[in-house]
Amino acid sequence: MSQQMDSGFEQYILQCRAPMRGNQVGGKFSKQHEMLASGLPVPPFFCLTIDCYQQVFVALEAMIREKLDAIDFKDHQSIQHGSDAVQQLFADYQFSESQENAILKAFDAQFKDASLVSVRASTVGHILEESEDSANNPFAGMSESFLYVPRYQVPEKIKQCWGSGFSQESLIYRHAQGMNLLGFGVAVGVQQMVFGERSFVLFTADPKTAARDQVIVAGYGIGEGVVQEKVPVDHYFVSGKTGQINHELADKTTRLTMDEVKGFGLIERPVPEAEQEIACLTDKEITYLVSVGAQIESLFKCPQDIEGCFTAEGHLYILQSRPIALDYARQLIWTNSNVTESYPGVSTVLTYTFAKFFYREIFYDAYRRLGVSARMINDNFEPLDKMIGYLNGRVFYCLSHFYLLHKQSPLYPLFGAHWENMIGLSSSYQSHTEVSAFSRWMEKARIWSRVGVNAVATFFNYLDHDRTMYHYHSWWERRISALRGKNFTNEDPLTLVNLFHEVWRETGNEWGVTLTTDSYLIPMYGLAETLFKKWQLDEDPGLLSDLLCGDESLQSVEIILSAVRLAEAVRADAELASVFAREKAETLWDLLDAGDLDDEFSEKVRHHLHYFGDRGLQELKLEQPSLRDTPWVLMRMIKQYAAQDVTAESIVENERSVRQEADKKLEALLAEHPRRKAFLNKIILPRLRRLIRHRENSRYCRSELFGFSRNVFKALGQYLVSQNVLKSLDDVYHLTQDEVFGYIDGTGVTEDLQSIADIRRKEYQANLKKDVAATITTIGAVRENNLLPPLSETEGFDGQELRGLGSSAGKVTGVARVVHDPNNAGPITNGMILIAKETDPGWLFLMLACKGMVVERGSMLSHTAITGRKFGIPTIVALPAATTRIPDGAKIEIDGSSGLVRILDETDC
């Protein structure tokens, strides 16, 4: 086909060092220019902008439109025929002399005459969001690329690149997305061919889960073999938090390389046998790649999919970088790694919907106190109302919503990473799309202006936090004193519903202060960890934990000490001791309730039940009876403590000695640094202890708030049974909060609550038989995703050593007791080491009876870790699948400092 226009290309061809805009050359080449300008190792290249394409397109436009109009998109052959016809129009186009000379001149200016190059297309949408390698429309693999191209073939390959904008894949994609079939231009890059011996694709975030971990796919030969899956490849998984590298190696029998006979083109060759089963990248190279990936991600402000290679000489080249196509609109990230401490195992629907209401109310107040405007909170009300989800009957944090909401606070950069550590996340997550560079600049300016104001306000609020918490506890005591343990049976149901809302209106205005404690505690603890590492105080990983013992009284400890003092009273009275040794716990309560036990002792028990009766196993689950409902559980605790000869003084003395020993270690380590020692001892550590006290003590206020709510729902359930709406009290726990209240206040949509409860009970029983992964990324409708844990989380123990996070120092040897339900833990035995998925404050009686603890979930600031430190129990948290990898009854050794668990064989015993 003869040319229709004789315009030259010279002014529209850009060398790689010249300024390039995305709307001229596309994202692929503009990013290569940016990377080259930033000092990254990118091979030299030049680009034909879309203006060159436009010259040719104008000459062919009428014929192209004719071919496209004839396509029937319901007929695959019609699409193929139309695509081939349009591409042939470009192939038949004849360059003018000036056009071809401009191309070859650019080639000669950049490369030597004998150089081989790659020629690649990049589509540029008239609407930029419809461009190749954009975040939403990557057009992956749809544009043409040619490798090992000699100089004389470059003009023909450029025409084929232009034509590839009309490949059948591109046409189908554009049609399916409702895009204009002609709404684009095609830029073409001509780049020096790098002879890669080993090629890779690096994802700076996991493309499957959005975790901020790095995934590297690598194989022998050039990148085309890796990208197009034509050769076997290794996979390397790098933890974003720890840098740990996990290898999944393939038997790499083939590689893709240049056809040396022809001098161009590709051919498959065998990999030398000695190299087939070894890693094609070293750990040093992987670590280097991760650092380069971080540099590229920082440059483009979002997770990247990066292609590159290493030459035979070991030189790294980056060939391409594009945004990872994460579908944020359909993606949700879930975890129960921290919330399972409050809601272990399967929870009923009433517990879940009440917890959902609780999170919404308290976080509204917390965000307000952290400087988030009322408008911003209201604009994000939907995620605020859905901070937790219900997957296979388990309560999960919706991390996507937590990230979105937490980031509304201008102080998030100060506490974000430490918050992730506190809730036990092994990875960070990419949960939302990035904005344009200009928008980022404007947003950054706005945020930093708010950061200044909020930082000052937060600083003064922190200085006043002790007084604020004192007023909070005073308010709570006034509010709960008349309601503590109150039986609402036979109260008017609507009056009860109104009382519930009255208490929660006050709660919504006051409770946020308990969450601001975490906003101070998290960065303060992070600062302490940073200082310990910087000042080389972290060789003993348990030192910081031990230094946090003492000085501050914790309500959870006072509760257990109260029970221990009751046990001491039993041992001090021979008659009581005889009765407790002889009778079962249920009988002991019957005797006390009938007035047949010592009056003074009985009064102390009733005092404990009145003030501490909301502390129990799984106490935040409404279906679980409180200690007041099952007082024989307290009698069982007293009976066990009396038999163990444990005393309140020994517990306090143990904590005191741990602290004193830690103080001595710190004194010795900082003997030559008095200012550092003073800074830690006078400022950081005392403040940390107070913040931990505030956090733990407000947790029991939460237990009382849930206890009050439990009693309300219990009374309403009894009313529904009396009205023959439900068959039994237990049915109420299988209704939602709105369904219960709605029946009473006229806002409900059904009166057949029993049928609903029957369905939910059946689902509850089914969920007891299901498992669920600890962290899940779902795409689209949540129920369509696989929620089961991967094999690596459930497979059995395959070695002699496991490692978690050491959180309370000490090394002990004992017998593993795997406990899934503390109500059925079996008899307490000497030398028992508790193994559990998670614990809550109600496990304290079991914790105190064991030599050590290992749990699957938790962090250094979790309840399990704090309890271990408080009572001097060697403790390891965050050890995945501990309950399946450590056999029940096995002899084990645990080190609460290093986090190491050893399974002992007979020769070790």
Side-chain angles (χ1 to χ4, degrees):
M1 181 180 295
S2 62
Q3 67 190 55
Q4 301 297 312
M5 296 182 63
D6 196 16
S7 301
F9 287 164
E10 190 164 352
Q11 62 181 316
Y12 302 123
I13 297 179
L14 303 177
Q15 297 292 343
C16 58
R17 296 287 181 182
M20 292 185 184
R21 299 194 308 271
N23 61 358
Q24 290 178 307
V25 299
K28 183 184 300 181
F29 304 120
S30 65
K31 287 180 177 178
Q32 286 200 340
H33 166 74
E34 288 187 62
M35 289 190 290
L36 193 63
S38 297
L40 290 159
V42 176
F45 65 97
F46 68 88
C47 265
L48 282 76
T49 68
I50 60 172
D51 299 285
C52 298
Y53 166 85
Q54 191 63 27
Q55 285 188 24
V56 177
F57 173 77
V58 168
L60 304 175
E61 182 175 3
M63 290 180 285
I64 291 173
R65 287 185 181 275
E66 180 184 346
K67 304 297 184 186
L68 295 180
D69 288 344
I71 294 176
D72 178 1
F73 278 93
K74 296 179 181 178
D75 183 348
H76 181 264
Q77 286 189 341
S78 176
I79 300 171
Q80 182 67 65
H81 178 76
S83 170
D84 291 345
V86 174
Q87 291 187 72
Q88 191 62 46
L89 291 174
F90 282 97
D92 291 343
Y93 179 85
Q94 297 296 312
F95 282 126
S96 69
E97 183 177 353
S98 64
Q99 288 172 334
E100 185 160 340
N101 285 342
I103 295 170
L104 297 178
K105 181 180 178 181
F107 185 100
D108 294 336
Q110 191 66 256
F111 314 115
K112 296 178 180 178
D113 182 59
S115 295
L116 295 176
V117 296
S118 64
V119 183
R120 303 179 189 271
S122 180
T123 59
V124 184
H126 295 168
I127 301 172
L128 281 182
E129 288 75 14
E130 296 179 1
S131 299
E132 182 177 348
D133 290 340
S134 64
N136 297 323
N137 293 290
F139 286 90
M142 296 185 191
S143 295
E144 192 64 86
S145 294
F146 301 96
L147 307 178
Y148 300 109
V149 178
R151 179 180 183 273
Y152 74 91
Q153 290 184 358
V154 170
E156 290 302 313
K157 299 303 182 187
I158 289 172
K159 290 191 290 184
Q160 290 177 252
C161 283
W162 285 334
S164 71
F166 297 91
S167 68
Q168 65 167 333
E169 295 85 3
S170 295
L171 289 175
I172 292 171
Y173 186 88
R174 287 185 171 278
H175 180 264
Q177 297 292 322
M179 300 177 185
N180 184 346
L181 298 181
L182 296 174
F184 67 94
V186 181
V188 179
V190 180
Q191 189 167 35
Q192 176 184 312
M193 192 68 210
V194 175
F195 291 82
E197 286 289 309
R198 295 165 297 144
S199 298
F200 61 85
V201 177
L202 163 64
F203 298 96
T204 62
D206 190 320
K208 292 189 299 182
T209 66
R212 299 312 308 267
D213 301 322
Q214 293 75 43
V215 180
I216 301 173
V217 182
Y220 290 114
I222 66 165
E224 213 75 5
V226 174
V227 173
Q228 298 185 8
E229 301 177 345
K230 293 180 178 180
V231 300
V233 293
D234 292 340
H235 288 79
Y236 307 96
F237 303 91
V238 186
S239 168
K241 285 189 176 290
T242 67
Q244 179 179 339
I245 303 169
N246 291 323
H247 309 72
E248 289 187 8
L249 305 184
D251 187 7
K252 299 172 290 297
T253 54
T254 58
R255 59 193 172 98
L256 207 60
T257 188
M258 184 182 75
D259 187 338
E260 296 175 351
V261 175
K262 293 181 181 179
F264 59 89
L266 300 176
I267 192 170
E268 190 176 286
R269 297 288 190 195
V271 173
E273 190 172 339
E275 300 175 8
Q276 291 180 4
E277 296 184 3
I278 64 173
C280 66
L281 296 180
T282 67
D283 282 2
K284 184 177 180 180
E285 289 170 331
I286 291 169
T287 301
Y288 177 49
L289 279 183
V290 168
S291 67
V292 171
Q295 185 180 349
I296 295 172
E297 182 178 304
S298 176
L299 183 64
F300 298 127
K301 308 301 181 188
C302 66
Q304 296 290 299
D305 166 357
I306 301 165
E307 297 177 21
C309 67
F310 286 97
T311 64
E313 297 77 25
H315 299 308
L316 170 67
Y317 285 95
I318 301 299
L319 304 177
Q320 184 166 304
S321 186
R322 63 168 72 92
I324 297 175
L326 297 170
D327 193 347
Y328 299 112
R330 300 176 62 240
Q331 169 190 288
L332 290 172
I333 305 163
W334 307 88
T335 185
N336 69 355
S337 60
N338 179 258
V339 72
T340 190
E341 187 176 286
S342 299
Y343 303 99
V346 177
S347 297
T348 63
V349 167
L350 183 60
T351 287
Y352 163 66
T353 55
F354 173 71
K356 180 170 171 281
F357 167 78
F358 171 72
Y359 274 86
R360 185 188 73 204
E361 293 296 302
I362 65 169
F363 272 100
Y364 189 105
D365 186 39
Y367 290 133
R368 179 180 62 82
R369 293 171 183 268
L370 290 172
V372 183
S373 69
R375 176 169 183 168
M376 197 172 290
I377 295 174
N378 288 329
D379 286 347
N380 289 285
F381 183 81
E382 184 179 2
L384 180 65
D385 189 42
K386 298 175 181 176
M387 297 188 75
I388 61 174
Y390 193 58
L391 308 183
N392 283 5
R394 278 81 169 176
V395 177
F396 271 72
Y397 286 149
C398 182
L399 274 182
S400 299
H401 293 165
F402 268 86
Y403 276 120
L404 176 66
L405 292 163
H406 280 8
K407 288 179 180 180
Q408 304 304 313
S409 169
L411 301 180
Y412 179 79
L414 302 179
F415 70 80
H418 300 302
W419 165 73
E420 290 176 333
N421 291 333
M422 188 199 75
I423 68 171
L425 292 183
S426 59
S427 303
S428 299
Y429 286 85
Q430 184 73 19
S431 62
H432 64 282
T433 190
E434 299 291 335
V435 297
S436 67
F438 178 75
S439 297
R440 284 197 302 268
W441 184 87
M442 291 294 292
E443 179 70 6
K444 189 175 290 187
R446 183 179 66 83
I447 286 176
W448 280 110
S449 67
R450 290 174 59 214
V451 165
V453 173
N454 279 274
V456 172
T458 300
F459 176 72
F460 283 104
N461 287 340
Y462 168 67
L463 294 180
D464 198 40
H465 190 61
D466 287 342
R467 188 177 67 87
T468 303
M469 288 302 297
Y470 170 79
H471 286 299
Y472 159 79
H473 283 290
S474 297
W475 159 76
W476 179 244
E477 184 57 33
R478 291 194 303 272
R479 176 71 269 187
I480 197 63
S481 58
L483 302 174
R484 185 178 280 124
K486 185 173 181 180
N487 186 342
F488 296 112
T489 303
N490 298 324
E491 295 266 355
D492 176 72
L494 186 58
T495 301
L496 271 184
V497 171
N498 291 333
L499 175 62
F500 177 93
H501 290 307
E502 177 187 323
V503 171
W504 276 91
R505 275 194 298 274
E506 289 188 40
T507 299
N509 290 324
E510 301 288 346
W511 213 271
V513 68
T514 68
L515 297 181
T516 63
T517 298
D518 280 345
S519 70
Y520 306 138
L521 172 60
I522 293 168
M524 182 73 74
Y525 189 84
L527 173 62
E529 286 187 313
T530 300
L531 293 178
F532 268 58
K533 186 173 183 179
K534 181 178 179 180
W535 295 342
Q536 298 181 342
L537 303 175
D538 59 343
E539 289 187 10
D540 178 357
L543 179 58
L544 178 56
S545 298
D546 293 345
L547 287 166
L548 296 178
C549 294
D551 287 358
E552 305 292 344
S553 62
L554 302 183
Q555 184 78 330
S556 58
V557 176
E558 290 304 313
I559 293 171
I560 206 72
L561 290 178
S562 171
V564 170
R565 291 187 183 106
L566 289 171
E568 291 183 68
V570 169
R571 286 197 300 269
D573 185 312
E575 185 177 348
L576 265 180
S578 175
V579 173
F580 266 77
R582 183 175 65 251
E583 302 294 348
K584 292 182 178 180
E586 291 78 3
T587 304
L588 290 170
W589 173 253
D590 290 340
L591 291 171
L592 186 148
D593 197 37
D596 293 335
L597 293 184
D598 178 77
D599 289 343
E600 183 180 356
F601 174 78
S602 297
E603 180 58 31
K604 289 179 179 178
V605 170
R606 295 186 190 280
H607 180 276
H608 181 104
L609 287 171
H610 178 73
Y611 283 98
F612 305 139
D614 289 309
R615 174 50 40 88
L617 294 171
Q618 303 180 9
E619 61 196 40
L620 301 189
K621 298 171 78 166
L622 300 180
E623 64 271 18
Q624 284 292 118
S626 72
L627 194 63
R628 295 189 190 95
D629 296 323
T630 56
W632 48 88
V633 173
L634 174 60
M635 306 304 282
R636 185 182 301 126
M637 293 169 59
I638 298 170
K639 180 180 172 73
Q640 289 171 345
Y641 293 154
Q644 290 174 342
D645 203 30
V646 63
T647 66
E649 180 57 33
S650 67
I651 292 172
V652 173
E653 178 56 34
N654 179 77
E655 182 185 14
R656 189 182 298 124
S657 64
V658 168
R659 169 69 183 284
Q660 289 174 347
E661 185 64 28
D663 284 338
K664 290 179 183 178
K665 288 183 181 178
L666 187 66
E667 174 78 25
L669 289 169
L670 294 179
E672 298 180 7
H673 302 280
R675 290 183 180 177
R676 294 179 182 179
K677 182 174 64 175
F679 184 65
L680 288 176
N681 283 331
K682 301 294 185 183
I683 299 176
I684 299 297
L685 293 174
R687 293 177 187 273
L688 265 179
R689 294 184 197 110
R690 283 204 301 276
L691 288 170
I692 290 173
R693 180 194 68 194
H694 290 322
R695 180 172 181 255
E696 291 301 301
N697 289 352
S698 64
R699 281 187 166 189
Y700 188 67
C701 297
R702 180 186 63 179
S703 300
E704 291 192 309
L705 176 63
F706 274 60
F708 156 74
S709 303
R710 177 188 290 109
N711 290 339
V712 169
F713 286 115
K714 181 179 177 182
L716 293 177
Q718 290 169 335
Y719 165 76
L720 293 173
V721 171
S722 72
Q723 298 298 305
N724 296 317
V725 177
L726 297 177
K727 294 177 182 176
S728 71
L729 176 60
D730 286 348
D731 289 328
V732 76
Y733 302 118
H734 297 292
L735 301 174
T736 68
Q737 175 174 305
D738 286 345
E739 287 166 350
V740 175
F741 288 168
Y743 188 90
I744 305 297
D745 63 18
T747 60
V749 296
T750 184
E751 295 185 5
D752 189 4
L753 297 184
Q754 185 62 57
S755 294
I756 297 174
D758 289 342
I759 293 171
R760 299 257 179 77
R761 184 188 295 276
K762 184 177 179 181
E763 291 177 340
Y764 178 85
Q765 295 297 329
N767 283 329
L768 291 173
K769 300 175 183 178
K770 296 178 182 177
D771 202 353
V772 66
T775 302
I776 307 166
T777 299
T778 60
I779 303 296
V782 173
R783 307 298 174 189
E784 294 178 7
N785 290 262
N786 178 20
L787 306 180
L788 296 177
L791 181 62
S792 59
E793 288 188 27
T794 58
E795 61 190 2
F797 175 72
D798 57 0
Q800 290 300 105
E801 291 187 349
L802 302 169
R803 189 179 295 275
L805 177 63
S807 57
S808 178
K811 182 183 288 187
V812 294
T813 301
V815 178
R817 173 71 66 81
V818 178
V819 177
H820 296 283
D821 180 357
N823 289 306
N824 299 308
I828 303 297
T829 58
N830 291 330
M832 181 178 75
I833 296 179
L834 177 64
I835 315 295
K837 283 192 173 184
E838 66 277 310
T839 70
D840 63 34
W843 288 61
L844 274 172
F845 78 93
L846 202 53
M847 295 176 174
L848 198 59
C850 66
K851 290 182 68 176
M853 297 186 289
V854 180
V855 297
E856 296 182 2
R857 313 286 168 76
S859 67
M860 292 296 286
L861 294 177
S862 67
H863 175 267
T864 307
I866 291 172
T867 299
R869 292 193 292 268
K870 194 73 180 176
F871 293 116
I873 305 168
T875 302
I876 297 171
V877 299
L879 200 162
T883 56
T884 56
R885 300 167 75 186
I886 301 174
D888 186 44
K891 294 287 183 67
I892 64 172
E893 177 187 82
I894 72 170
D895 186 338
S897 294
S898 67
L900 188 67
V901 177
R902 292 181 60 226
I903 312 294
L904 305 177
D905 56 31
E906 294 300 322
T907 59
D908 295 313
C909 299

